[in-house]
Amino acid sequence: MAATFFGEVVKAPCRAGTEDEEEDDEGRKETPEDREVRRQLARKREVRLLRRQTKTSLEVSLLEKYPCSKFIIAIGNNAVAFLSSFVTSSGVWEEVGCAKLWNEWCRTTDTAHLSPTEAFCVFYHLKSNPSVFGSCPRKNLQITVLTCRHVTDYKTSESTSSLHPPFLKALKTQNFKEPPCCSLLEQPNIVHDLPAAVLSYCQVWKIPAILYLCYTDVMKLDLITVEAFKPVLSSRSLKGLVKNIPQSTEVLKKLVTTNEIQSNIYT
Amino acid sequence: MESRYDRAITVFSPDGHLFQVEYAQEAVKKGSTAVGIRGTDIVVLGVEKKSVAKLQDERTVRKICALDDHVCMAFAGLTADARVVINRARVECQSYKLTVEDPVTVEYITRFIATLKQKYTQSNGRRPFGISALIVGFDDDGIPRLYQTDPSGTYHAWKANAIGRSAKTVREFLEKNYTEDAIANDNEAIKLAIRALLEIVQSGGKNIELAIIRRNQPLKMFSAKEIESQVTAIEKEKEETEKKKSKKTA
């Protein structure tokens, strides 16, 4: 309560919440309408797994259908380019499904008709060795995550002129016993988003997993950044999956040139 | 620490860095490579041509520009900044000639460009020019010159240098291969420039542009055919040296 200049008593606005007994009940109670809206939203935000070619949804969860020993996740356009030119171009990889999801940050509002090219995650498995793929937390499963981050996120006590991006750093779970292909990520650097979620999950469920994080100064698809992932080819999980490196390099070059967005800022 | 001292150009950091100038040098590294070589009777400028969009007119994307009849330069970095610097330099060349009745010396115009760049590192509200330049030419005394400037406004004379994206690799190549024999005659100097660029250029001769100035002659831009023929000659030489090597080991 507060008094104004004219002597009237007015209720002072308070952001801490009203202490009055006459609480506004209407704002708090959930109407059936609200419940319905919330239900619809939850349905919209469901992650759907389906086969891209037939557009049928995968009835059996991918987890059970394709047990595997090695799971490799690439996040971001440079990591995906590396994987698609070096790994999936050697040997025959079959697409087994894709995951589609929608949330409020998506630009389209129509969830039913997301075009086939708008899958957020595509799953492949190696035809000749079906044990390589899957996300089921089984024994002998090893997970490799590849992703990129801008070098300005990298914190170090050394001068930034001593850094030569792109460079690779690794972060592994406790159960991962192999030596990584590059130096480990030092403190106080942290990992964000999906790679962090995957690693946390693996650490909790005691799955050996390693994240290879490439710090680069070019966030768009770039040949030099993708080639920075090359040391990972010598790791146990990727060895044997890459047959023909010169051919892969050609595939990569083609991928980069087709995706190059013309920019005239720098000459 | 950096984030508090890198916004304004006129603010030094506690350890003496001008971060905006250093960041401008990073912008230079985003441009494609340019290499300059000073021979005995020739100066050579070679650049990695950027791939042009299909509908774009190639002639408007030039990295090598003449500043006067006897001076030319190649740049790496922000295109628009380069255009402004080149225009100012060209005007200065003519203004000097009108005033002094002599053409500029290479060192004078380099100093002019460097002073211009330095001014922009010391006034408030401006940012440095994001380009490095390689300036070549012959003075009246007939001596060939090669200078390099950078966003901080410093300039130095070089025997051979490279700027831009893979400058480090090219410079290392030049340090190994710039010998008295390599620049013995004009053709050798041209070949050295092309070989330096072939180290980093992705698809061979068609992504290289070359310009030379010979003593008392105007700037000459090489055509694509001429560059191709040089590249083929270099590749042949390479094959022959490889054959000789394998014969020796066998």
Side-chain angles (χ1 to χ4, degrees):
Chain A
M1 296 297 179
T4 65
F5 182 75
F6 298 105
E8 53 187 294
V9 173
V10 276
K11 197 169 103 174
C14 172
R15 282 190 298 181
T18 52
E19 289 147 35
D20 290 18
E21 289 125 38
E22 315 121 40
E23 243 180 51
D24 207 17
D25 260 342
E26 286 173 23
R28 300 294 179 89
K29 214 194 306 183
E30 206 180 61
T31 63
E33 225 176 54
D34 291 333
R35 270 199 290 273
E36 184 54 35
V37 167
R38 218 188 297 274
R39 231 201 321 266
Q40 278 187 4
L41 210 61
R43 214 177 309 147
K44 257 186 159 183
R45 290 172 114 246
E46 257 169 31
V47 177
R48 293 178 320 199
L49 297 173
L50 31 80
R51 282 192 183 282
R52 268 217 281 219
Q53 295 88 346
T54 57
K55 289 192 194 163
T56 54
S57 62
L58 285 170
E59 296 293 344
V60 176
S61 143
L62 275 176
L63 310 175
E64 278 114 61
K65 201 168 178 190
Y66 296 98
C68 78
S69 58
K70 293 180 190 170
F71 192 35
I72 307 162
I73 312 175
I75 302 165
N77 49 8
N78 284 304
V80 168
F82 171 75
L83 214 58
S84 53
S85 46
F86 284 88
V87 178
T88 52
S89 65
S90 339
V92 181
W93 290 78
E94 189 195 9
E95 188 185 307
V96 292
C98 68
K100 279 193 190 174
L101 55 86
W102 177 92
N103 62 33
E104 291 81 355
W105 288 303
C106 290
R107 287 185 203 142
T108 62
T109 46
D110 188 355
T111 54
H113 300 108
L114 276 178
S115 75
T117 51
E118 279 175 28
F120 292 87
C121 178
V122 185
F123 299 99
Y124 294 90
H125 86 138
L126 189 58
K127 252 185 161 166
S128 57
N129 184 6
S131 76
V132 182
F133 164 73
S135 59
C136 171
R138 292 213 171 178
K139 294 206 184 101
N140 306 320
L141 174 65
Q142 197 185 67
I143 296 185
T144 312
V145 186
L146 305 172
T147 187
C148 282
R149 196 85 193 158
H150 202 276
V151 71
T152 47
D153 269 351
Y154 184 65
K155 299 168 185 57
T156 171
S157 53
E158 293 167 25
S159 155
T160 44
S161 52
S162 64
L163 296 175
H164 297 288
F167 53 88
L168 218 54
K169 290 285 173 193
L171 194 61
K172 59 192 180 79
T173 60
Q174 212 166 8
N175 287 56
F176 192 89
K177 299 296 177 204
E178 272 172 50
C181 306
C182 60
S183 52
L184 290 176
L185 187 64
E186 308 90 354
Q187 287 191 354
N189 292 292
I190 56 175
V191 180
H192 303 260
D193 306 327
L194 182 58
V198 172
L199 273 185
S200 311
Y201 180 91
C202 294
Q203 175 66 10
V204 167
W205 290 101
K206 299 194 169 53
I207 303 171
I210 185 161
L211 160 69
Y212 287 106
L213 179 53
C214 177
Y215 282 102
T216 171
D217 50 359
V218 181
M219 281 319 276
K220 60 184 179 75
L221 188 58
D222 171 60
L223 194 66
I224 303 173
T225 306
V226 177
E227 292 193 335
F229 279 110
K230 271 193 177 160
V232 183
L233 292 174
S234 59
S235 73
R236 202 168 66 102
S237 40
L238 286 187
K239 211 190 287 198
L241 290 179
V242 182
K243 308 278 163 32
N244 191 349
I245 292 192
Q247 190 193 42
S248 301
T249 320
E250 281 309 310
V251 173
L252 174 63
K253 276 196 195 149
K254 222 170 147 189
L255 203 70
V256 171
T257 40
T258 46
N259 280 320
E260 216 174 274
I261 307 167
Q262 196 61 25
S263 162
N264 287 315
I265 301 180
Y266 301 99
T267 303
Chain B
M1 198 228 303
E2 270 177 27
S3 53
R4 284 159 58 203
Y5 298 98
D6 67 356
R7 293 290 169 249
I9 180 65
T10 48
V11 174
F12 274 104
S13 74
D15 56 349
H17 287 276
L18 273 176
F19 283 115
Q20 279 298 308
V21 173
E22 293 182 18
Y23 298 164
Q25 277 161 347
E26 291 299 313
V28 169
K29 289 192 200 149
K30 286 192 149 42
S32 59
T33 319
V35 70
I37 295 191
R38 185 183 82 196
T40 28
D41 305 308
I42 189 176
V43 284
V44 186
L45 277 180
V47 298
E48 178 191 355
K49 239 189 336 199
K50 221 180 74 144
S51 55
V52 182
K54 256 197 200 162
L55 299 171
Q56 193 172 22
D57 191 340
E58 223 182 276
R59 288 171 303 155
T60 48
V61 187
R62 282 256 175 267
K63 265 169 86 82
I64 304 180
C65 317
L67 299 179
D68 203 347
D69 296 328
H70 61 299
V71 186
C72 80
M73 78 171 237
F75 67 90
L78 288 158
T79 325
D81 285 8
R83 191 183 66 235
V84 167
V85 168
I86 290 171
N87 280 343
R88 299 273 271 271
R90 283 173 173 165
V91 167
E92 177 63 20
C93 285
Q94 299 314 308
S95 165
Y96 184 94
K97 211 189 278 194
L98 285 171
T99 319
V100 181
E101 292 188 4
D102 275 333
V104 292
T105 57
V106 184
E107 205 255 341
Y108 176 86
I109 195 64
T110 308
R111 196 162 6 106
F112 173 80
I113 291 174
T115 314
L116 174 66
K117 285 184 179 177
Q118 193 278 341
K119 272 199 209 132
Y120 278 66
T121 67
Q122 221 173 7
S123 23
N124 219 346
R126 300 192 194 189
R127 62 163 176 79
F129 283 102
I131 63 160
S132 280
L134 287 173
I135 303 158
V136 295
F138 280 85
D139 288 337
D140 267 346
D141 54 11
I143 302 182
R145 310 249 183 226
L146 164 64
Y147 288 93
Q148 187 235 343
T149 66
D150 65 16
S152 61
T154 55
Y155 71 95
H156 298 276
W158 289 76
K159 292 183 190 153
N161 199 4
I163 53 175
R165 205 183 348 240
S166 316
K168 199 158 165 271
T169 320
V170 176
R171 211 173 302 126
E172 282 167 5
F173 174 87
L174 289 171
E175 281 173 8
K176 274 196 214 123
N177 293 282
Y178 185 93
T179 56
E180 288 308 318
D181 291 334
I183 52 154
N185 62 44
D186 293 356
N187 213 18
E188 290 298 308
I190 295 171
K191 276 218 200 97
L192 181 63
I194 297 183
R195 275 166 56 211
L197 281 173
L198 285 173
E199 291 282 306
I200 47 108
V201 145
Q202 269 160 25
S203 7
K206 58 180 160 67
N207 277 351
I208 295 180
E209 220 168 59
L210 203 81
I212 60 166
I213 301 185
R214 289 195 163 100
R215 191 176 290 114
N216 296 325
Q217 288 183 32
L219 169 70
K220 173 174 191 286
M221 296 285 301
F222 271 41
S223 68
K225 246 196 250 171
E226 289 168 309
I227 298 178
E228 263 318 310
S229 62
Q230 291 280 356
V231 171
T232 354
I234 290 170
E235 282 174 354
K236 232 204 266 174
E237 271 178 30
K238 224 187 194 175
E239 272 175 38
E240 287 178 2
T241 42
E242 300 269 305
K243 267 193 216 157
K244 275 191 203 157
K245 249 192 221 171
S246 56
K247 267 193 196 161
K248 261 191 191 170
T249 50

